[in-house]
Amino acid sequence: MKKIFLGASLCILASLSGCNSQSQETAQNVASVSSQPINKNEVTWQPTIEAAFEQAKAENKLVFVECYLPTCPVCISMEPFFKKPEVAVKYNSNFVNYKMDLSQPTGKPYLDAKGIFLPSFPIFLFFDADGNLVHKDEVETSVESFNKVADKALDTGKRASSFAKRFADGERNIPFLIDYASYARVITDTAANLSAASALFEIYPKDKIGTEESWKITKKAVTDLDNGFAKYWFSNSAKAAEMEKKDGHAGNEQNILGGIIQASLYSPRGKAYNSAKLQTVKKYMGLVGAAQYADGVTWEYEVNALIREGKAPQTINVGNKMATIYAT
């Protein structure tokens, strides 16, 4: 976890007075900013994330970070709402705000250092003044949605950092489990994601499994090819393709389902797959248009699985096949 320092990072004895002067100047600048009247016309953005955390510490506020891409159509559609007076007052009163442009080189390393993964854009992140993520959410293009997200972030009993306890305490409803599984993806908590997504499929009405809602849940919350949602959509990828095409994202179903394959295979559970399960992985890769890569991706897993199963002839066959392929 990166440490954000208010003043200079190190004061040697020879320049102690100069360092104190710099720290006092920083504090005065923060105090000056905090004493400014609230901008009611648009959300006020800090120039750097370091400045945002400095001000948040001084004012005992959360830091709101909008993670976006400047070429993302959905992100672009959100921009006018940051200039709505109702949104400006809500966010400027309660948060210190920073826009993180993920097309720039500084954003992703910052999130990587905190173990944060963003599966889509835009995403709203809320940190405490010490840099700990306390809430993650998505918004719709309405003032009500923007302010509802802000209210959830401010409520310690509803924000995302409360999800694990609520799940352990037995809370089980579809909206909550979607949010928890999605949040677990963002904080790269695989175990939590698998548990929440599994519980979600258990209670989800099976007569709705082929709906657009089900596909949206799969995109947002599912990372395991053994999950019931994933199994359905791998078997009905053509239907998912129609939905993506209708939304103007033709071919995106291959990215979504391919991502589920990768998350499953390149994991501890993937290393434990038996040879039959690896044939299923190859089949799924074919369904998402990646059949030509299937052998190259799975052969080492398959060899190890066959060895564990005591199938020496099949192991040699796989080895000979790949030796032939790689001979060139």
Side-chain angles (χ1 to χ4, degrees):
M1 193 73 71
K2 291 184 178 178
K3 295 181 180 178
I4 308 302
F5 291 87
L6 181 62
S9 60
L10 179 64
C11 296
I12 58 174
L13 184 61
S15 60
L16 183 59
S17 60
C19 182
N20 287 338
S21 174
Q22 183 179 357
S23 297
Q24 290 168 2
E25 181 180 354
T26 301
Q28 290 170 357
N29 290 339
V30 170
S32 175
V33 171
S34 62
S35 65
Q36 296 295 320
I38 292 173
N39 185 348
K40 299 180 180 180
N41 297 317
E42 61 181 326
V43 172
T44 301
W45 305 103
Q46 292 303 304
T48 66
I49 197 163
E50 291 80 10
F53 279 108
E54 287 176 3
Q55 185 175 337
K57 275 186 176 293
E59 299 182 12
N60 192 28
K61 288 182 177 180
L62 298 180
V63 173
F64 160 58
V65 178
E66 184 211 9
C67 300
Y68 76 103
L69 286 172
T71 56
C72 161
V74 178
C75 303
I76 293 169
S77 72
M78 299 290 174
E79 285 306 302
F81 291 89
F82 290 119
K83 296 183 179 180
K84 300 285 187 181
E86 305 97 312
V87 173
V89 170
K90 173 74 75 172
Y91 281 73
N92 290 338
S93 299
N94 294 287
F95 310 114
V96 179
N97 310 295
Y98 176 70
K99 290 177 74 69
M100 181 175 285
D101 180 352
L102 270 301
S103 69
Q104 298 301 310
T106 55
K108 191 174 185 303
Y110 181 85
L111 297 178
D112 287 346
K114 291 184 174 293
I116 295 173
F117 164 72
L118 301 184
S120 61
F121 303 98
I123 284 183
F124 284 16
L125 301 180
F126 297 84
F127 298 85
D128 66 20
D130 293 321
N132 302 304
L133 181 67
V134 298
H135 190 62
K136 161 263 169 193
D137 224 322
E138 294 95 37
V139 295
E140 299 175 356
T141 50
S142 72
V143 169
E144 180 184 10
S145 179
F146 271 64
N147 286 349
K148 182 179 179 181
V149 166
D151 289 337
K152 285 175 67 177
L154 292 167
D155 189 331
T156 57
K158 292 182 178 179
R159 63 176 54 158
S161 57
S162 72
F163 288 171
K165 183 180 185 304
R166 289 161 60 185
F167 185 79
D169 289 344
E171 184 170 347
R172 299 290 188 277
N173 62 74
I174 290 172
F176 167 69
L177 291 172
I178 293 172
D179 285 346
Y180 185 28
S182 175
Y183 176 65
R185 285 187 72 191
V186 168
I187 62 173
T188 59
D189 187 339
T190 302
N193 171 265
L194 296 179
S195 296
S198 177
L200 175 59
F201 182 74
E202 286 180 13
I203 68 171
Y204 191 75
K206 300 307 180 284
D207 60 342
K208 296 175 63 178
I209 192 64
T211 62
E212 289 189 27
E213 178 188 74
S214 167
W215 174 238
K216 289 178 179 178
I217 289 172
T218 303
K219 293 197 291 183
K220 186 174 182 178
V222 176
T223 63
D224 181 36
L225 55 81
D226 286 328
N227 183 276
F229 287 105
K231 288 180 178 180
Y232 176 84
W233 288 108
F234 274 114
S235 298
N236 295 273
S237 57
K239 184 185 292 187
E242 291 176 6
M243 294 177 181
E244 289 297 317
K245 184 177 181 180
K246 185 182 73 172
D247 288 341
H249 306 123
N252 190 47
E253 76 288 345
Q254 296 184 358
N255 296 328
I256 301 301
L257 296 173
I260 293 174
I261 292 172
Q262 290 183 17
S264 302
L265 188 63
Y266 302 140
S267 71
R269 59 191 187 280
K271 293 178 181 178
Y273 286 164
N274 60 30
S275 58
K277 186 60 171 288
L278 289 165
Q279 293 305 311
T280 300
V281 172
K282 291 183 181 182
K283 174 186 174 184
Y284 285 169
M285 291 185 70
L287 291 173
V288 300
Q292 66 271 35
Y293 306 115
D295 287 332
V297 166
T298 63
W299 77 270
E300 291 181 84
Y301 295 85
E302 192 172 5
V303 163
N304 286 324
L306 290 168
I307 290 173
R308 290 195 304 269
E309 295 164 13
K311 299 176 179 178
Q314 293 94 321
T315 305
I316 297 298
N317 288 340
V318 172
N320 287 336
K321 177 181 179 181
M322 298 313 299
T324 301
I325 291 173
Y326 289 132
T328 58

